[in-house]
Structure formats: structure tokens, C-alpha cells
Amino acid sequence: MSTDAHISIDQIITSWLGKRGYTLHYYVKAAFLAAEAVQELSLTSLPMLHHALLTKEAGQNWYTLPKGYTDYVRVGVRFGDTWMPLRISERLMPYSNTDGDGDMNPAEFGEDMNVLGANSSWYSGASNPASFAAGSFSAGSFSTVPTPAPTPTAIVDGWGVFSDGYAYASRYGLGVYFDVARGIIVAPDGFAFDEIYLVYTGIGTIDNMTGIPVYAQAAIESYIDWKYAANKRDISRGEAQDWERKFDNQHRLLRARVQRWSIEEVAASFEDRFDRRITVGFLLSDNTNNSTVHAIAIGGYPYSYPATYGN
Amino acid sequence: MTTKGIMIDRIMKKVEGGTQTTRSRTSRAEVAQELNSVLAKLLKAQVLDGFKEGMSTADGMVYTYENIPIDRRDNGRCSAKLPVTPMNLPGGIGVYAVYPAGYPEKAFIPVSTGLLYTVTNNKILSPIGRKIYTYSNGRVNINADVIGAGVTHLDMELCCVDINSLSDFDPLPVPADIETEAVLAVLQLLGLESPVTRADDKTASPTKTDVS
């Protein structure tokens, strides 16, 4: 990837070699450790978003989860020129809508999952393959036309993600079940889509190590330092622990950079800075955009923070 | 900076006790051979000192050999013969760099022969797009068909002391601080060790006069 915000694992390795005065003879060892670092960090502190278009075979009612999958972010089906998010269930024992009346019945399925149509089971019955060319993704493909009809502007919010899409998906009764233990996504009977679009977090596999967020570089290099030193035969335990501590510090910094601040954290930061207690309510602006913290209102701080609260 | 000729002259004067004559029993070629060995040992020690400080460079003793032809092997790989035998240095840095002729920025990645299977099966380098090579039996073996990619010759940078390839007037790539040490070491190899030096050396075995 060529944006300034991302860096490749090759660039991290050569940077590490250059800073330490090592020649290319140490490249492979550093590559192993860098790959390990990305995988380790991606599990907890370095969310690496991936996209995949999953296709099911004719006659199947499941999609195979991609390798390295750890958690879902969004899953959707194509709807005209946009993607409609689907409802997701990951209950261990999904139970179908046995009466087939199309109404939500928590006793039948639990929580808010609803599947319309005469579904007898998640696992039985042949799927009905859909075709992009045949217009399977127009509004006419559905039994109920929503009012108002969903349009890209109606279901994409200011963050570039679907906002109302869940409501429409719920109206259509579209949903899938994530069976992570089996490594599949199961579609309900009669699910008329051959392809679903999955946005997910995954471990940093070797195949996608060209788009590493640049703010993770210091932590990854520090991880290489630690493991490289720890694998030396003549290293003392104290020295190895020193390297580990240095990595821990970089790891903490990485987590701080990745995490979006909550309202409470913003408030705590200002308390530290101005040595006075402030309330969360005071931080919120009044009537224009109540999801944005206008820090300038309390301390002349020149930035405004997008807050997670309300989004 | 000294030259090969100046260094040999310095040694020959000590050997002959003055200006070299045609009746000298020690030839310049013989001195050059011993000087080669001594410099290799001294420069290697310098490189190893650098390793203790965490560096892995050997810039003072790198010779570049250009336009070495590549042979295609049966298994879709390529290899090239090393022009000289490199020094045995930690981390395999004796073969300092191998790259397509004229393109040092496209250097291949060195891999120990024993690690080749591990690296190729882990496909760790495949998305990075770097080609790897191993060094064995006096050849560099590249794990890709680089001839098919249009690379027919290699440049190699090797860590060695190869003063036979230098003329008497070529600069000798030796730091000034080890010139004297090299001269004394060659004299010792030629059996012309200075008595003063020997008397000062507490580790030397006793001479007949010491014993009596």
C-alpha cells in the first residue's frame, strides 16, 4: 500500500536493519519476527480490517470464513448499487422461525433475530441461487418493498457506514448465523444471495502485510528487538527483561494511539491538563452536533474531538 | 593510504637489512602471499570487534566482482560461481552482497542453506517480492529463475583480502593503524622476528640464552 498512513512489512524490516547497523543477512530472521509481531499485535492492539467477498457453492447454504478471521465488523449483501448490512447471530444453537408466519417471535429464535418465510431449519433445504445479471438485487427481488425505498444516501451515514441499513435488513428478514467453530457463515433457507460481503478483523497473515498502520511501526520494531535479543545464547535474564519492558511501553503507546477516546477519557484528560474537575455534560455542545466535543469551549484547546458517544 | 608495493618494500627492507638485491633469498611474491594471509587475519579481527558492538558491517574488506555470468539449473533456479573464496564470518556475511549487475538496490536476500526449506515453505517472503539465495560449494544459488526475468550477470561483493588482484601501485585497503602490525606479523612468519619484540613478549617460549 502506498499511502503515508500505511507501511509494508518490508519497509519495517529494512528500517529495523538500518537503525541497528545490520546487513541483509539478518533480513530473514527479522522477517519471521516481524510477521509474528503483526500477528500478535493484531489479536489485541492492532485491528487490521479486511474485506472479503464470500461465495457459496450451488446447493450449499453456508459461506466459508476467510483464513485468519477473528471477528466480524459488517456483513452485507449487494442491493442495487450499494451493500445492505445483514443482521448477525452467533448463538451457539440458532433456532429457526418454525411457524413461518414472518413475524418476530422471540420464543422461536431468541433476541431480535427474525427470518421471514417458510424456513424450517437453518441447515436444511436447498438455497435458491441468485444472479447479479438477472437483477436479483433490485428491490423487486423482495416480497416487501420498504417505504421509503432504501437508497444509498438513506442508509449510509456521515462516517461512510450504514446507519439505517439494519432496519431495512430486519424488515426483509435477512440475517446470517456465524458458526465460528465450524469456520462458516450459515444462511437461512431460501437465502437468495450467492455472495455476501464481509468486513472483518483478522490476524495479520503474511498475505496482507503490506497495509500495516504506520503508528504500529515502533511497536513492531520493539517486538523484533525483544525477541531477537531473547533468542541470543549469551543474553542475561535481566537484559531480556529490559527489552521486554521496552516493548511493553511501545505496546501501551500503540494501544493509546489506536483506541478512540470515550467522553470520560476526554474529560479525564482535561482534568489533568487544567487541574479542575469538569463534567461530561459540560463537554457536550448544545444543539448543533451533540456527538462532538468542542474542547475549545472550556480551555481554548485548538481541536475538537470526535467522540464515540452517540455514534 | 599505502599501496601493495610500499608494504612489500617495507618488509623486504627489514628482511634484507637494507635495499633489496637480486641475490635475495626471499621473493616479493612470497612476501605478498604472507601479507595476504596476515591482512586477512587482522581485518577479520576488526570485523569481529564490530560484531561485539552490535554492528554487522565489514566495509573495510569488501571487494566487488562485476559481471559474473549466471547459469540456469534444472530445477528452475540459477547459480553463479564465486570468483574467490570469501572469508568465513559470522552470519554468513563473507558473501556480503549479491545483486543483478549494475543494480545494488535490488540485492537478493541471503539465507543459510539449512534455513532454505523453512523460509520457502513459510512463504514469508513471497508477498514481499524479494528473491533469496544460498551459498554453498563455491557457488551462489538463487532460488528463482532470474535468467527468465532478464538477469544474466551478477555483481558480487565479497569479504576477502585479495591483494593478488592488485598491482604494486593500487591502494591497499588497509587502515593505517594496522600497517605496522601487519609488517611485524609477516616478519614473524618469515622467521625474522625482531629480538627486541621477542624479549618484550612475556608469552614467548624461552630462548637458549634465557635458560642458561
Side-chain angles (χ1 to χ4, degrees), chain A residues 171-185:
Chain A
R171 187 174 300 174
Y172 290 135
L174 293 173
V176 288
Y177 159 59
F178 274 68
D179 189 344
V180 179
R182 294 183 185 180
I184 56 175
I185 300 172

Side-chain angles (χ1 to χ4, degrees), chain B residues 65-82:
Chain B
Y65 299 86
E66 297 177 337
N67 282 320
I68 300 163
I70 306 175
D71 304 322
R72 182 177 260 142
R73 314 294 282 194
D74 293 336
N75 51 8
R77 297 170 186 173
C78 297
S79 81
K81 192 176 178 184
L82 289 169

Side-chain angles (χ1 to χ4, degrees), chain A residues 4 6 10 21 24 28 32 40 46 50 68 94 103 110 113 154 159 178 190 228 241 249 284 286 290 302 311:
Chain A
D4 291 341
H6 292 85
D10 178 54
L24 277 180
V28 168
F32 273 113
E40 288 284 331
L46 186 63
H50 306 291
D103 292 331
M113 191 73 176
W159 292 85
F178 274 68
Y228 186 83
Q241 286 173 341
N249 282 336
L284 295 173
D286 48 9
N290 67 357
N311 284 325

Side-chain angles (χ1 to χ4, degrees), chain A residues 76-134:
Chain A
V77 292
R78 186 174 172 184
F79 184 82
D81 292 331
T82 186
W83 292 92
M84 175 187 288
L86 300 177
R87 298 189 69 81
I88 296 169
S89 171
E90 51 183 345
R91 296 168 66 85
L92 285 174
M93 300 286 284
Y95 197 65
S96 66
N97 187 1
T98 51
D99 59 13
D101 60 6
D103 292 331
M104 170 63 190
N105 185 348
E108 293 171 346
F109 195 73
E111 293 184 346
D112 54 357
M113 191 73 176
N114 187 16
V115 179
L116 292 178
N119 302 310
S120 58
S121 166
W122 283 92
Y123 296 104
S124 66
S127 64
N128 180 18
S131 164
F132 282 102

